Amino acid sequence: MKIIIITLLAMTLIGCEDKVFEPQTTTVSTPSICAGTNPELDPSKIKFPGIDSVTNITQTSADINWEHIDGLHTYHIIQVTDTDRKIINSVSAPASKFTLTKLLPNTSYTLLVRAIDQRGFLDQNINMVTFRTNGFTRFSNEKSISFKGSQSIILSESKAYQNGNQFSMSMWFKRTRTARDERLFTFHYRSKSSIVLSARLDENKLHLDYSDDATKLSTESVDFDYSSNRSWHHLVVTVNNDKITLYLNAAPKLSFSANLKDFGDHQLHIAAESGNQEAFRGNIDELAIYNEPLSDSDVEEIYNFGKVIDLRNLSSATKLTHWYQMGDHDKDSPSNIEDIIGNDSAIPFNISKRHFVKDAP
């Protein structure tokens, strides 16, 4: 930058003669100290207020809500701590909700949602919201649900659990009489009853029925004699891409390859194919769903030598997305089976208070 300095010298008397000195001009080069503004740093002209509410708070999850505004492109969900802050996820407009998962129970979280508009400018809201997750109740396992051949438990749409063929199902069961093609669980691939993956019992076999991409229903089976198996048993089925494994009492009994069809809109059913079709007769307890394939060591830890254990304290707890204790939660009733981990309570079908019994592994 050049600064022009003009020096005016006043009229001076020299001897007896008046003289006037002409203005003198000096050019000085100096460094710039007044940089111009950068328009790229301007905030968005859209006034986004940030988080509106936090709802559906559980022990490990919560919904973050805001109001979408036209002209915004992306929403950043930011976690703020005493010493740092970081973007934990981003969603594109017109989304107005994000579900946080894998949170710690009884823990405080502070969040901020910032938006970028369609021109790439960031909003400036500082609306930080703090909430606390629910604490876990004391673990207790005394009850199970007794199925009489005309009941079932209905969960969400089957496709909600497929997770790109990366998931596991865990449950305890006990038969009370000889089975006759009775279902323990059934995933469907259509909007109506249509088996894509289902565990089924008959008199002396435990079957795993599945539908692959060729639309063919196939079956893999393992010996399971009712006369010598009237106690509680632990069943785990894992899906790891095209590999399916069935564990019984922590021992891998079946392992085979199959490209399962895409799961569909019809709900996942427990203790039946659908409604009360091929309904189970016996007890079911501690149903759990994981969003990853369980390892051999995970299954062995859950089995715990045949004694139910608090799943939240195990190494597989980070994979656990849904857990139903089948009668031990204080919100379990003939109209609701509480999801202890997620936000997906199950609906009992044709179940009354008498079906909740004191009998547990």
Side-chain angles (χ1 to χ4, degrees):
M1 179 182 291
K2 294 184 177 180
I3 301 177
I4 308 300
I5 302 175
I6 301 177
T7 305
L8 294 178
L9 300 180
M11 181 181 295
T12 308
L13 181 63
I14 301 179
C16 297
E17 183 178 2
D18 292 334
K19 289 185 180 289
V20 176
F21 289 85
E22 296 296 327
Q24 296 179 357
T25 301
T26 304
T27 301
V28 181
S29 294
T30 64
S32 175
I33 59 173
C34 302
T37 59
N38 183 355
E40 292 301 321
L41 300 179
D42 290 345
S44 172
K45 293 182 179 180
I46 300 175
K47 300 301 181 183
F48 174 60
I51 296 175
D52 178 64
S53 62
V54 180
T55 57
N56 296 324
I57 300 172
T58 70
Q59 292 92 345
T60 59
S61 65
D63 289 342
I64 311 303
N65 307 283
W66 60 89
E67 182 178 353
H68 168 64
I69 299 178
D70 290 341
L72 295 179
H73 181 273
T74 305
Y75 298 98
H76 296 302
I77 296 88
I78 303 167
Q79 182 177 351
V80 181
T81 65
D82 292 338
T83 59
D84 199 7
R85 53 190 285 165
K86 64 178 180 180
I87 296 175
I88 56 176
N89 217 306
S90 300
V91 294
S92 299
S96 59
K97 183 180 79 169
F98 181 77
T99 300
L100 294 168
T101 59
K102 298 184 178 180
L103 304 178
L104 297 175
N106 195 29
T107 302
S108 179
Y109 291 89
T110 299
L111 298 173
L112 172 71
V113 173
R114 283 274 178 87
I116 293 179
D117 65 24
Q118 296 285 357
R119 300 175 62 213
F121 293 110
L122 183 68
D123 93 276
Q124 299 289 302
N125 90 82
I126 55 173
N127 179 22
M128 298 184 189
V129 174
T130 299
F131 70 94
R132 179 175 290 277
T133 52
N134 298 334
F136 280 135
T137 56
R138 183 180 63 85
F139 176 74
S140 173
N141 184 51
E142 298 178 348
K143 296 180 180 179
S144 63
I145 295 180
S146 175
F147 297 86
K148 306 296 185 182
S150 58
Q151 295 79 30
S152 64
I153 301 291
I154 304 173
L155 281 76
S156 291
E157 299 172 341
S158 296
K159 64 184 180 182
Y161 308 102
Q162 190 170 14
N163 193 36
N165 282 337
Q166 292 279 308
F167 70 94
S168 301
M169 165 84 76
S170 168
M171 66 192 313
W172 292 80
F173 72 94
K174 183 177 77 168
R175 291 191 297 184
T176 55
R177 61 187 67 189
T178 304
R180 51 184 185 189
D181 282 339
E182 299 175 0
R183 302 281 173 179
L184 291 172
F185 68 82
T186 308
F187 292 96
H188 302 268
Y189 66 86
R190 293 177 179 168
S191 58
K192 59 182 179 181
S193 181
S194 48
I195 296 170
V196 65
L197 185 65
S198 179
R200 169 173 57 91
L201 290 163
D202 64 18
E203 185 174 355
N204 55 17
K205 297 281 187 180
L206 171 59
H207 306 280
L208 198 58
D209 298 329
Y210 62 96
S211 296
D212 58 21
D213 286 338
T215 71
K216 180 178 65 175
L217 184 64
S218 303
T219 301
E220 297 285 341
S221 305
V222 59
D223 290 338
F224 190 78
D225 183 12
Y226 165 73
S227 62
S228 59
N229 288 280
R230 301 186 184 188
S231 58
W232 281 98
H233 299 278
H234 183 229
L235 173 69
V236 172
V237 175
T238 69
V239 177
N240 187 1
N241 297 321
D242 63 349
K243 182 181 179 182
I244 301 175
T245 305
L246 181 148
Y247 298 83
L248 188 61
N249 299 331
K253 295 293 186 179
L254 293 173
S255 186
F256 58 94
S257 296
N259 291 309
L260 295 176
K261 294 176 67 67
D262 289 341
F263 291 15
D265 295 333
H266 198 55
Q267 295 97 331
L268 166 62
H269 278 68
I270 306 301
E273 178 183 328
S274 182
N276 61 2
Q277 299 174 21
E278 297 189 359
F280 177 64
R281 293 177 298 171
N283 295 56
I284 291 179
D285 197 15
E286 302 297 313
L287 171 69
I289 301 174
Y290 298 80
N291 63 2
E292 293 182 29
L294 294 172
S295 66
D296 291 352
S297 59
D298 288 336
V299 175
E300 187 174 356
E301 189 179 32
I302 296 169
Y303 178 60
N304 190 39
F305 303 100
K307 181 65 177 177
V308 168
I309 192 171
D310 191 336
L311 300 181
R312 298 165 298 195
N313 297 330
L314 304 183
S315 56
S316 57
T318 56
K319 309 172 188 178
L320 181 61
T321 53
H322 307 283
W323 181 20
Y324 307 88
Q325 282 206 278
M326 300 295 193
D328 287 294
H329 195 280
D330 57 8
K331 292 184 179 179
D332 288 348
S333 71
S335 61
N336 176 80
I337 304 297
E338 189 72 9
D339 183 356
I340 299 174
I341 296 297
N343 187 32
D344 188 22
S345 294
I347 301 173
F349 175 77
N350 201 24
I351 288 176
S352 63
K353 288 184 178 179
R354 66 184 178 87
H355 292 98
F356 295 91
V357 297
K358 282 197 172 183
D359 187 355

